[in-house]
Amino acid sequence: MDDGNGRGRTHPAPTGSPRDPPASFAEQATVSNGGIHEEFDANWPDCWDRAAELLSWIEPYDTVLDDEDAPFYRWFTGGKLNAAANCVDRHVEQGRKTHTAIRWEGKRGERATYTYQDLYVAINEIAAGLRELGVETDDVVTIYLPMIPELPITMLACARIGAPHSVVFAGLSADALATRMDAAESEYLITCDGYYRRGDAFNQKSKADNARLALEQDVRTVVVDRLGEDLPHVLGDAEWDYHELQATHAGETVEPVARDAEDMLFLMYTSGTTGEPKGVVHTTGGYLSHVAWTSRAVLDIEPEDTYWCGADIGWITGHSYIVYGPLALGTTTVMYEGTPDYPDRDRLWEIIDRNAVDVFYTAPTAVRAFMKWGAEYPGRYDLSSLRLLGTVGEPISPRPWNWYREHVGGGECPIVDTWWQTETGAILVSTLPGVDEMKPGASGRPLPGIDAQVVDADGTPVAAGDTGYLTITRPWPGMARTLYDGDERFVREYWERFSDPDTDDWNYFSGDTACLDEDGYITVLGRVDDVISVEGKQLSSMEIESAITSVDGIAEAAVVGRSSDSGDETDIYAYVSTERGYDGTDVRASIVGNVESVIGEAAVPRDIVFTPELPKTRSGKIMRRLLEDIANGESLGDTSALRNPEIVGEIQAERDGR
Ligand code: WTA
């Protein structure tokens, strides 16, 4: 497959030899029925009752799926529920008050444990505090917090009073925060004084202040005092201290608001290819059903488990699989504030050993780092409590897959390679660990009730083994309902390309390229639209390029991913051409500074090559594939399609000369 821009790949990564799930796992798995795919198919869409049954409904729904207004699907219509009551109250009511809900591991070795009763009390107090501030049903509350317990508590307090939350990853810049608050017209912000970054105190409040200065609306702000004496701060007008606010409402309870299944639970911004972040809207009934069901069927979570997902709650993985899914099931979810290598590279294994973690879910980029650091670190600990391992966020190739299974999973644990997106809300493609054979490098078949196809540019399914575009051909409960800034953009971004409204044939376009094998297993290769994955996070090359080109003196920029020398990590590599009268030394520092402030640290290019021109196709498109090959020191294919082939030698000379 080729997208006409020379960027297509024709050969998917090879998958490793298939492995059956170990019998000991299959015996106890939450799903052990090999016929479940067929069962769901025969009974679709009513099969999704199975997911909704995992929740407590205030009013039962009358219709599983309403597809009248496709692609604006509605799930479980007529039903009413409250997400916070599902994640906390019902466990307390069912006699599980003292069961641990959250086990928090702080960056400096601090520890805290919240039982379901503790969580219930804190959520109610914060809900009462938010009400005092004026938060009403349907007001968007922005949360800009690092991985501290106040983050999930605030999310659930919002859910309790029916106020959608919009969590902005704490490492994003003031500009990124302001853009998101502006787009959502959000008038409430929950943030903190700062947090520790590898032991140093880092000021978060000043970023929040800068964002507020850029906003037209008045913003009421609540500040968590995370650092105490390490970073004293003074509260200004319309600012409250989080724990003082909580204390003034000590012991109060707030009735959970009965939300319509289709009412918004939260907004989550994700990078778009056009540079404008997209506000993905998730609703209450469908989303919560889908995350609860997949937490059980794919991650095999049981209430007695200690489960750990190593993502940040600031991204969708943390929303779905640290907070909503595991808490809906009443399990113990581990929340880790730090990084895997601080104070040493054995940090994660020590936490797994000490807490007897049963299920561990992380990103392939982390697995590649563990592999690089060496087996001695996990080797120092007893990891035999682990029953299942998972990955999410990027493709995982057979080598790290096997390393993960061997050195973390003791050669025993099944691995689930889960494919999904911010927009899908929950996992769509994965093996069912107690049922399906695993193929290292391939995610698996679409889950029961999910239908996916790999198609060519005309929408025709490709032959087994060929590469194409990954589409989802039936709706699913956790799907995004729209984009906050408009239905039109929602249709344009995800539906238009492979749908035919005249025949009411709607297919969701994931934006990923993939390959389907003869058993229906899907290997996802990556984004169609040049997105670079750094440390497990998808960064839009377009967004980075626009941050570079907004610096004075820059004419044009292209960024690509470059594998590090060990092949384990991806760095951002930028090609920049300056305007006349400027040269690299003038602008290098401004590029770095601007990318950091507009997008964040993770997006800063590791290397910048200055070139008089960028290689272009005849139609004027920048040829990123070629730039990627140059960055990676690979041999260059045919360059005859270029409008300016002579530039290639110049760029290589410039790269080698540095
Ligand atoms: C990629 C994260 C290969 C993919 C949940 C997708 C994957 C994007 C996998 C979504 C996987 C996610 N194998 N690629 N198992 N899981 N991706 O929105 O390109 O941050 O479109 O959601 O990550 O990233 P997002």
Side-chain angles (χ1 to χ4, degrees), residues 91-106:
H91 307 309
V92 169
E93 286 154 16
Q94 288 160 12
R96 307 186 63 243
K97 278 185 191 177
T98 57
H99 192 72
T100 302
I102 296 177
R103 208 178 269 291
W104 180 73
E105 297 275 349

Side-chain angles (χ1 to χ4, degrees), residues 131-390:
R131 280 265 175 81
E132 180 201 318
L133 256 62
V135 178
E136 287 178 19
T137 306
D138 292 324
D139 285 346
V140 175
V141 175
T142 303
I143 308 178
Y144 188 47
L145 288 174
M147 287 287 281
I148 54 177
E150 289 82 353
L151 172 52
I153 287 169
T154 309
M155 289 163 70
L156 291 165
C158 289
R160 190 168 192 89
I161 60 174
H165 53 73
S166 166
V167 177
V168 177
F169 175 63
L172 290 186
S173 65
D175 274 10
L177 173 64
T179 311
R180 285 153 178 75
M181 290 191 73
D182 179 44
E185 295 170 28
S186 175
E187 296 176 350
Y188 301 93
L189 174 64
I190 317 301
T191 186
C192 62
D193 52 351
Y195 54 93
Y196 296 107
R197 219 159 52 176
R198 313 192 78 83
D200 298 328
F202 177 78
N203 196 327
Q204 182 80 346
K205 178 67 170 28
S206 67
K207 286 200 288 177
D209 289 343
N210 285 334
R212 280 171 64 186
L213 286 175
L215 289 168
E216 274 169 26
Q217 69 263 38
D218 289 332
V219 175
R220 302 186 145 213
T221 305
V222 184
V223 184
V224 177
D225 187 352
R226 166 77 178 100
L227 299 179
E229 293 296 298
D230 284 350
L231 191 72
H233 64 282
V234 184
L235 294 174
D237 286 347
E239 294 188 341
W240 286 259
D241 176 85
Y242 189 95
H243 293 116
E244 275 173 24
L245 183 69
Q246 184 176 356
T248 52
H249 296 279
E252 282 178 34
T253 53
V254 175
E255 190 60 25
V257 172
R259 295 287 275 171
D260 218 273
E262 281 294 314
D263 280 342
M264 183 173 17
L265 177 60
F266 67 87
L267 254 179
M268 164 116 264
Y269 281 90
T270 177
S271 309
T273 47
T274 55
E276 280 285 294
K278 297 179 277 197
V280 174
V281 173
H282 282 294
T283 57
T284 312
Y287 171 83
L288 200 61
S289 302
H290 198 172
V291 296
W293 154 252
T294 46
S295 294
R296 205 170 162 276
V298 179
L299 300 174
D300 200 54
I301 299 175
E302 303 269 13
E304 309 72 50
D305 284 341
T306 297
Y307 156 84
W308 184 10
C309 166
D312 192 292
I313 294 175
W315 309 120
I316 192 71
T317 303
H319 276 52
S320 299
Y321 298 111
I322 297 177
V323 182
Y324 285 110
L327 293 179
L329 296 181
T331 197
T332 300
T333 183
V334 176
M335 198 181 153
Y336 176 48
E337 188 194 24
T339 48
D341 58 348
Y342 182 84
D344 200 359
R345 293 170 168 178
D346 62 358
R347 182 79 170 118
L348 304 189
W349 320 125
E350 185 270 324
I351 293 174
I352 290 177
D353 185 350
R354 179 161 41 78
N355 290 292
V357 170
D358 297 276
V359 177
F360 181 59
Y361 189 33
T362 190
T365 182
V367 176
R368 292 191 298 264
F370 307 151
M371 190 167 80
K372 191 162 68 186
W373 298 338
E376 66 184 272
Y377 295 102
R380 285 180 201 161
Y381 295 90
D382 178 4
L383 305 181
S384 61
S385 58
L386 289 169
R387 176 174 89 240
L388 175 70
L389 300 173

Side-chain angles (χ1 to χ4, degrees), residues 270 315-317 361 364 391-396 417-424 429 443 510-513 523-527 536-538:
T270 177
W315 309 120
I316 192 71
T317 303
Y361 189 33
T391 65
V392 55
E394 339 161 62
I396 181 161
D417 169 355
T418 63
W419 179 87
W420 59 292
Q421 309 179 296
T422 304
E423 294 86 344
T424 71
V429 179
S443 287
S510 65
D512 280 350
T513 57
T523 294
V524 174
L525 302 169
R527 304 290 299 165
K537 190 55 211 157
Q538 306 295 314

Side-chain angles (χ1 to χ4, degrees), residues 37 42 157 161 208 314 325 332 449 502 521 558 583:
H37 282 94
I161 60 174
T332 300
D502 293 339
Y521 277 52
D583 73 25

Side-chain angles (χ1 to χ4, degrees), residues 113 123 183 248 444:
T113 294
I123 290 165
T248 52

Side-chain angles (χ1 to χ4, degrees), residues 404-581:
Y404 191 31
R405 183 169 155 97
E406 191 60 36
H407 297 287
V408 180
E412 278 291 309
C413 294
I415 297 179
V416 286
D417 169 355
T418 63
W419 179 87
W420 59 292
Q421 309 179 296
T422 304
E423 294 86 344
T424 71
I427 301 167
L428 295 193
V429 179
S430 168
T431 50
L432 291 169
V435 172
D436 296 321
E437 160 184 279
M438 297 170 274
K439 298 187 189 187
S443 287
R445 285 184 285 168
L447 291 180
I450 304 293
D451 239 341
Q453 263 175 3
V454 176
V455 300
D456 66 16
D458 301 325
T460 312
V462 300
D466 283 354
T467 301
Y469 302 102
L470 180 61
T471 61
I472 312 296
T473 56
R474 281 196 297 207
W476 62 97
M479 68 198 307
R481 296 302 192 265
T482 190
L483 293 176
Y484 196 72
D485 42 6
D487 291 349
E488 233 173 78
R489 188 165 174 218
F490 179 65
V491 175
R492 200 170 62 236
E493 294 266 359
Y494 305 106
W495 299 95
E496 222 164 62
R497 178 129 186 215
F498 293 113
S499 301
D500 182 1
D502 293 339
T503 58
D504 212 22
D505 175 24
W506 295 96
N507 300 292
Y508 170 86
F509 177 38
S510 65
D512 280 350
T513 57
C515 163
L516 191 75
D517 74 9
E518 59 289 350
D519 299 324
Y521 277 52
I522 292 172
T523 294
V524 174
L525 302 169
R527 304 290 299 165
V528 179
D529 50 8
D530 288 320
V531 166
I532 305 172
S533 171
V534 177
E535 292 169 10
K537 190 55 211 157
Q538 306 295 314
L539 296 168
S540 151
S541 48
M542 196 75 183
E543 228 180 348
I544 304 171
E545 287 163 12
S546 62
I548 296 176
T549 51
S550 65
V551 170
D552 277 348
I554 306 294
E556 204 173 32
V559 302
V560 297
R562 184 187 60 168
S563 306
S564 63
D565 294 340
S566 58
D568 293 327
E569 291 299 339
T570 304
D571 290 327
I572 289 172
Y573 201 84
Y575 297 89
V576 173
S577 60
T578 53
E579 289 171 9
R580 197 192 293 262

